[in-house]
């Protein structure tokens, strides 16, 4: 390969040939910025000098600027699909008792509105319903003998319009349910509910009877005879599926789940015997 010769002068370094000097003069004459003469790995081009006219130059950065992200909207806490309820046929005269029940998580109070085993209206019915409402509880009623539905609803007085439902109690030792009882409750403007359990229903109404499955079910868990009251409230979660539903009477089948379940019998809450239940929130007004 041929090499370009250079002229040397004594005592001096190499002198560029005339053609190189002329080229340098031409570059300086046209004003080409030195920044545009890039030597690989040594000089970075000046973006301000190299940007076309009319387009703003952007200074390079060592790393891309991260795009800020918007945090996802936290979903609102959804209310539980079920609520805790209590039922009792015992006298309660202290308004603070109902306040304490609300603070303990109860949201529905169901009372027996006739004297036990009779159709005699219970005199304290309206006073107890008023205290429950003042404490923030929803209310409902029942009678131990479902033939007493008329007296049971009448006992609630002006609180009838606040009743979530009136329960027709189909329980061992009682008479069978009739359609007239259901339509009778409906005629007062109150929703009927059937209170019963799988074994009690089969004993009283006969296994396989499904003609009343159009009425909402308050399901009763069987309890051993002679069981004693248990102090304190259960610590299990509020769950309409606990214990697991047993299909009977046309209920607890697909599309016709119970609306309530009586899970614990004879619990003692602040000196009063109660039963502990769970109800579907969507069933309540």
């Amino acid at each position: 390969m041929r090499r370009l010769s250079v002229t040397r002068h004594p005592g001096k370094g190499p002198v560029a040939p005339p053609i190189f000097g002329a080229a340098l003069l031409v570059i300086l004459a046209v004003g080409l910025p030195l920044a545009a003469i890039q030597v690989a790995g040594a000089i970075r081009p000046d973006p301000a000098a190299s940007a076309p006219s009319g387009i703003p130059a952007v200074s390079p950065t060592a790393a891309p600027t991260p795009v800020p992200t918007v945090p996802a909207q936290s979903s609102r806490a959804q209310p539980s699909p079920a609520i805790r309820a209590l039922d009792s046929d015992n006298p309660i005269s202290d308004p603070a008792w109902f306040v304490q029940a609300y603070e303990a998580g109860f949201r529905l109070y169901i009372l027996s509105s006739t004297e036990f085993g009779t159709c005699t209206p219970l005199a304290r019915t309206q006073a107890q319903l008023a205290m429950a409402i003042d404490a923030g509880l929803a209310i409902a009623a029942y009678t131990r003998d479902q033939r007493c539905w008329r007296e049971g609803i009448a006992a609630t007085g002006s609180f009838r319009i606040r009743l979530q439902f009136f329960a027709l109690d189909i329980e061992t030792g009682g008479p069978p349910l009739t359609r007239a009882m259901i339509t009778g409750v409906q005629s007062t403007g109150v929703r009927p509910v059937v209170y019963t359990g799988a074994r009690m229903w089969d004993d009283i109404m006969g296994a396989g009877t499904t003609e009343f499955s159009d009425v909402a079910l308050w399901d009763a868990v069987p309890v051993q005879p002679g069981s004693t009251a248990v102090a304190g409230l259960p610590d299990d979660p509020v769950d309409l599926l606990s214990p697991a539903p047993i299909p009977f009477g046309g209920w607890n089948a697909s599309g016709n789940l119970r609306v309530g379940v009586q899970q614990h019998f004879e619990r003692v809450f602040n000196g009063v015997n109660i039963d502990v239940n769970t109800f579907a929130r969507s069933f309540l007004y």
Side-chain angles (χ1 to χ4, degrees), residues 223-227:
V223 62
Q224 295 299 323
S227 61

Side-chain angles (χ1 to χ4, degrees), residues 169-211:
D169 192 341
I170 311 305
E171 195 168 341
T172 302
L177 179 65
T178 67
R179 182 59 64 173
M181 296 173 184
I182 294 169
T183 57
V185 173
Q186 292 171 330
S187 70
T188 68
V190 180
R191 289 190 297 182
V193 162
V194 173
Y195 168 87
T196 193
R199 290 189 299 188
M200 294 187 293
W201 181 260
D202 289 350
D203 289 344
I204 298 170
M205 302 300 297
T209 302
T210 61
E211 62 180 291

Side-chain angles (χ1 to χ4, degrees), residues 137-159:
L137 296 166
I139 58 170
Y142 71 97
T143 55
R144 179 62 177 80
D145 187 335
Q146 71 271 31
R147 291 172 297 190
C148 301
W149 63 265
R150 184 177 286 103
E151 292 83 359
I153 293 176
T156 65
S158 61
F159 293 104

Side-chain angles (χ1 to χ4, degrees), residues 1-276:
M1 180 180 293
R2 293 182 61 187
R3 294 178 179 274
L4 184 64
S5 61
V6 295
T7 305
R8 295 178 180 273
H9 294 277
K12 297 182 179 180
V15 176
I19 188 171
F20 278 71
L24 181 59
L25 290 176
V26 172
I27 293 173
L28 294 176
V30 297
L32 183 63
L34 181 61
I37 303 174
Q38 180 176 359
V39 179
I43 302 177
R44 300 180 62 186
D46 183 352
S50 59
S53 175
I55 300 179
V58 179
S59 299
T61 56
T65 303
V67 178
T69 58
V70 179
Q73 293 291 330
S74 59
S75 58
R76 289 185 177 181
Q78 296 299 315
S80 169
I83 58 99
R84 187 74 94 187
L86 68 95
D87 72 89
S88 178
D89 59 2
N90 290 297
I92 306 169
S93 57
D94 185 1
W97 189 93
F98 290 96
V99 173
Q100 292 160 352
Y102 185 91
E103 292 174 345
F106 290 102
R107 293 297 180 267
L108 173 64
Y109 169 59
I110 314 164
L111 89 165
S112 174
S113 54
T114 62
E115 297 288 350
F116 185 81
T118 76
C119 292
T120 303
L122 197 62
R124 62 176 182 267
T125 295
Q126 295 179 42
Q128 293 188 189
L129 291 177
M131 288 186 287
I133 291 172
D134 288 345
L137 296 166
I139 58 170
Y142 71 97
T143 55
R144 179 62 177 80
D145 187 335
Q146 71 271 31
R147 291 172 297 190
C148 301
W149 63 265
R150 184 177 286 103
E151 292 83 359
I153 293 176
T156 65
S158 61
F159 293 104
R160 175 182 59 81
I161 62 173
R162 300 289 296 270
L163 294 178
Q164 295 289 327
F165 58 83
F166 185 87
L168 296 165
D169 192 341
I170 311 305
E171 195 168 341
T172 302
L177 179 65
T178 67
R179 182 59 64 173
M181 296 173 184
I182 294 169
T183 57
V185 173
Q186 292 171 330
S187 70
T188 68
V190 180
R191 289 190 297 182
V193 162
V194 173
Y195 168 87
T196 193
R199 290 189 299 188
M200 294 187 293
W201 181 260
D202 289 350
D203 289 344
I204 298 170
M205 302 300 297
T209 302
T210 61
E211 62 180 291
F212 299 100
S213 61
D214 59 310
V215 184
L217 172 67
W218 175 11
D219 200 354
V221 177
V223 62
Q224 295 299 323
S227 61
T228 57
V230 178
L233 297 179
D235 56 5
D236 56 325
V238 180
D239 185 358
L240 196 62
L241 299 179
S242 177
I246 300 173
F248 72 95
W251 296 293
N252 293 337
S254 177
N256 196 18
L257 181 66
R258 62 198 181 192
V259 299
V261 54
Q262 190 176 57
Q263 297 155 312
H264 300 277
F265 294 85
E266 294 299 304
R267 292 276 177 163
V268 180
F269 179 73
N270 288 347
V272 178
N273 284 21
I274 66 171
D275 299 329
V276 181

